[in-house]
Amino acid sequence: MPQPCSACAQLIANNYQAWLTTDGGIQWTEQSGLDGYIQDVEFHPTKLTTYVVTFGGFSPSYKVVEVSEGAVTNITGTGLPNVPANCVLYQPGTVGRLYVGTDVGVFFRDGDQSVWQPYGAGMPQNIFTDLRLISSTGILRGSTYGQGLWEIPAVQCVATKPSVSAVGGITEVCMGTDVVLEAPAGFESYFWSNG
């Protein structure tokens, strides 16, 4: 059992109910709107009262919700199979990645996307029971039912690297020389760095 914490949030959940405290357990608030069998809960890495809840069962449109300041938002979107969502994990970083372990493998989505995608080429399509991020090595580990422990790099960005070229075929540049660079369309923005 975790020790009380006056500067953090704690959550207690059972099959269909959850209670939240942000004052070390002095006051508990029951969370309404969780309409399923709770499988797992994961707090956001930087937002004190934001967390994600996954549900078991076979309701195709109600697998994952995000609770923020007590407001429940269904983030199931599309792409998750109609099987139990057993575990959930936030990956701290700029893309806001969220992983969900299901009965048929691991799925992910970034930020405010509504589409979940399978994660991890070569990972088994098996029941995942827990997910952990090893931040020192950038490894995502998942325990399975009957196929042991698996690990794979937890990649932050899946976008393809753009091909950048200098207009006019310039390959050497001296200080003070102007060069125009071209890159393909389809990227929201570009950031240039010489090192």
Side-chain angles (χ1 to χ4, degrees):
M1 181 83 174
Q3 295 299 312
C5 174
S6 60
C8 60
Q10 293 176 298
L11 190 83
I12 294 176
N14 64 18
N15 299 343
Y16 295 95
Q17 298 170 302
W19 296 267
L20 177 73
T21 183
T22 57
D23 59 10
I26 296 169
Q27 294 182 336
W28 291 87
T29 304
E30 185 174 358
Q31 178 60 54
S32 62
L34 301 179
D35 299 324
Y37 186 84
I38 298 171
Q39 291 286 87
D40 196 16
V41 176
E42 171 83 358
F43 275 96
H44 190 279
T46 59
K47 299 175 184 174
L48 182 65
T49 57
T50 298
Y51 54 95
V52 172
V53 180
T54 58
F55 299 101
F58 297 91
S59 175
S61 61
Y62 197 75
K63 300 283 179 201
V64 186
V65 298
E66 183 176 67
V67 180
S68 184
E69 300 293 327
V72 178
T73 303
N74 185 345
I75 60 170
T76 302
T78 59
L80 285 175
N82 188 15
V83 296
N86 303 315
C87 50
V88 61
L89 175 72
Y90 271 112
Q91 181 177 7
T94 57
V95 298
R97 180 157 294 171
L98 194 60
Y99 298 95
V100 169
T102 72
D103 274 10
V104 293
V106 177
F107 292 78
F108 82 100
R109 71 170 221 172
D110 289 337
D112 293 330
Q113 292 179 346
S114 62
V115 177
W116 293 84
Q117 301 174 51
Y119 190 80
M123 295 273 278
Q125 292 182 341
N126 195 352
I127 298 170
F128 274 80
T129 57
D130 201 7
L131 297 171
R132 290 287 180 257
L133 181 65
I134 312 305
S135 56
S136 61
T137 59
I139 296 292
L140 174 68
R141 284 194 181 144
S143 60
T144 67
Y145 181 77
Q147 283 192 300
L149 186 67
W150 290 74
E151 63 180 37
I152 189 167
V155 180
Q156 277 281 328
C157 181
V158 294
T160 57
K161 188 174 183 179
S163 172
V164 179
S165 59
V167 174
I170 298 171
T171 58
E172 293 184 19
V173 180
C174 296
M175 187 179 287
T177 304
D178 291 334
V179 176
V180 176
L181 300 176
E182 284 184 331
F187 292 87
E188 183 176 323
S189 64
Y190 295 90
F191 177 75
W192 169 260
S193 171
N194 66 357

